[in-house]
Amino acid sequence: MTNLQPADGRFTVGVSRDFLDADGRNVWGDIRLGELDAAGIDWHYLPRDTGELLAPDVDGLDAVLFAAPAVTARTFAGLARPPLLFARFGVGYDSVDLDACTRHGALVTITPDGARRPVATAALTLLLAVLHNVTAKDRLVREGRWSEREQWMGLGLTGRRVGLLGLGNTARDLVVLLRPFEAEVLAYDPYCPPETARELGVRLADADTVMAEADAVIVMCVLTEETRHLVDARRLSLMKPSAVLLNVARGPIVDETALIEALRADRIRGAGLDVFETEPPDPGNPLLSMDNVVLAPHSLAWTDEMSAGNGGSAVRAIVDVATGRLPRFVVNRDVLGHAYLAERLGALARHGRAEVGT
């Protein structure tokens, strides 16, 4: 029978080392790791910074709190007692092999409650920056081109249409933030209940309609095989010449080559990107030299609010599991019937973790 408990009875968490800078300081600030201490849970930073978590990195751990590293089949290779939880700091999980985690009885959680408002705020920030030509106007001042300012008239939001590709929790927060601007909002999301959209005052439509009718299209959906290149050359051709495209989700949802061609040909007005198909983008990427594009290094939502929110959400998932409870925001729901998971959670619940920290 599988050994359900660590030898010393303590629940142990490894935190991926990409949270630390070269001087060993947490670049995210307070991510609520103190709450693990308060719960009597042992934790430590992993000894090496790696792009992929391998079996030696996680051997002996009950849970892993991670940001950037990939979780793959090799993470579990040869482990007799895999971690029970991989708590992702953030909402994206395209770097996680969910099938491998499920096969080995490991939960994968994300932190939508911590990220939703910061990402929604970032989307609004990017939208306003693009509509007001902030990057170009900043350059005019820095380069002494004040007299050219008349060429960069911006666009207001009042009475215009904002189209959302995805109407999940973050996009719903953005709808609330957009209300004072008196813009009409339409959205494509085949999984959103119609009553939810009605309550928000959002008109649901197919993807082509959103692309064709919106003055600003904002990509806010999860990257899956279904959404990869959802915004392709054909859909870009449907957009108004005066419209702009923004992506605060994942780079591969937009066909970047097609977007560059649309911008070069003035088929759309501009773009705002916090994400790219390849990150970081190649120094020769044409997007980097375009005046009508506002760019950010996949970090526009990074604020103290997001650090605390994501960290708190991930830590709550860890504490739940350490006490034998199922956490919220489990991505791989198929794992819930796995015998290994059931046995270990049951053992943790029976012990009540009374011995943790003793």
Side-chain angles (χ1 to χ4, degrees), residues 203-283:
R203 173 165 61 95
L204 287 178
D206 58 57
D208 285 2
T209 299
V210 170
M211 298 295 292
E213 293 189 6
D215 297 295
V217 176
I218 308 177
V219 179
M220 304 195 75
C221 54
V222 174
L223 174 63
T224 65
E225 286 308 309
E226 181 183 6
T227 62
R228 187 176 296 274
H229 282 192
L230 175 67
V231 180
D232 56 10
R234 184 188 69 81
R235 287 204 166 105
L236 285 165
S237 72
L238 300 175
M239 294 181 69
K240 303 174 184 177
S242 59
V244 298
L245 177 77
L246 296 89
N247 189 358
V248 294
R250 284 294 186 270
I253 298 171
V254 175
D255 182 339
E256 200 166 281
T257 300
L259 174 61
I260 290 168
E261 289 305 310
L263 290 164
R264 278 175 167 166
D266 293 326
R267 289 198 294 272
I268 63 173
R269 177 185 176 93
L273 305 173
D274 188 39
V275 291
F276 302 83
E277 283 208 73
T278 300
E279 296 183 355
D282 186 277

Side-chain angles (χ1 to χ4, degrees), residues 29-256:
D30 180 12
I31 60 171
R32 305 298 174 86
L33 294 175
E35 294 179 18
L36 294 178
D37 295 321
I41 293 173
D42 281 353
W43 67 272
H44 62 269
Y45 288 107
L46 298 182
R48 68 190 191 106
D49 190 1
T50 176
E52 178 186 7
L53 294 174
L54 300 179
D57 299 316
V58 303
D59 192 14
L61 298 176
D62 297 291
V64 180
L65 194 166
F66 71 105
V71 179
T72 70
R74 299 202 300 173
T75 306
F76 301 92
L79 292 181
R81 185 177 167 280
L84 193 54
L85 169 68
F86 287 87
R88 167 81 167 91
F89 182 92
V91 295
Y93 51 90
D94 44 292
S95 63
V96 179
D97 185 336
L98 294 182
D99 289 338
C101 292
T102 299
R103 286 197 306 272
H104 291 89
L107 296 156
V108 178
T109 57
I110 56 175
T111 59
D113 52 339
R116 59 184 293 176
R117 179 51 61 94
V119 175
T121 304
L124 178 59
T125 300
L126 193 59
L127 173 62
L128 294 175
V130 172
L131 293 181
H132 288 266
N133 300 309
V134 167
T135 299
K137 290 176 179 177
D138 175 86
R139 191 172 296 132
L140 292 183
V141 178
R142 294 178 189 274
E143 297 176 359
R145 297 158 54 201
W146 191 279
S147 62
E148 298 176 35
R149 59 184 181 166
E150 291 85 359
Q151 301 174 26
W152 294 97
M153 178 70 69
L155 291 178
L157 268 176
T158 305
R160 288 197 159 91
R161 291 192 181 110
V162 176
L164 306 178
L165 298 179
L167 194 58
N169 290 329
T170 301
R172 294 170 197 175
D173 262 24
L174 177 59
V175 172
V176 174
L177 296 178
L178 283 169
R179 284 175 182 161
F181 294 92
E182 300 177 5
E184 177 188 347
V185 181
L186 65 160
Y188 165 70
D189 191 327
Y191 304 102
C192 178
E195 58 271 19
T196 298
R198 282 196 298 271
E199 290 170 2
L200 287 166
V202 174
R203 173 165 61 95
L204 287 178
D206 58 57
D208 285 2
T209 299
V210 170
M211 298 295 292
E213 293 189 6
D215 297 295
V217 176
I218 308 177
V219 179
M220 304 195 75
C221 54
V222 174
L223 174 63
T224 65
E225 286 308 309
E226 181 183 6
T227 62
R228 187 176 296 274
H229 282 192
L230 175 67
V231 180
D232 56 10
R234 184 188 69 81
R235 287 204 166 105
L236 285 165
S237 72
L238 300 175
M239 294 181 69
K240 303 174 184 177
S242 59
V244 298
L245 177 77
L246 296 89
N247 189 358
V248 294
R250 284 294 186 270
I253 298 171
V254 175
D255 182 339
E256 200 166 281

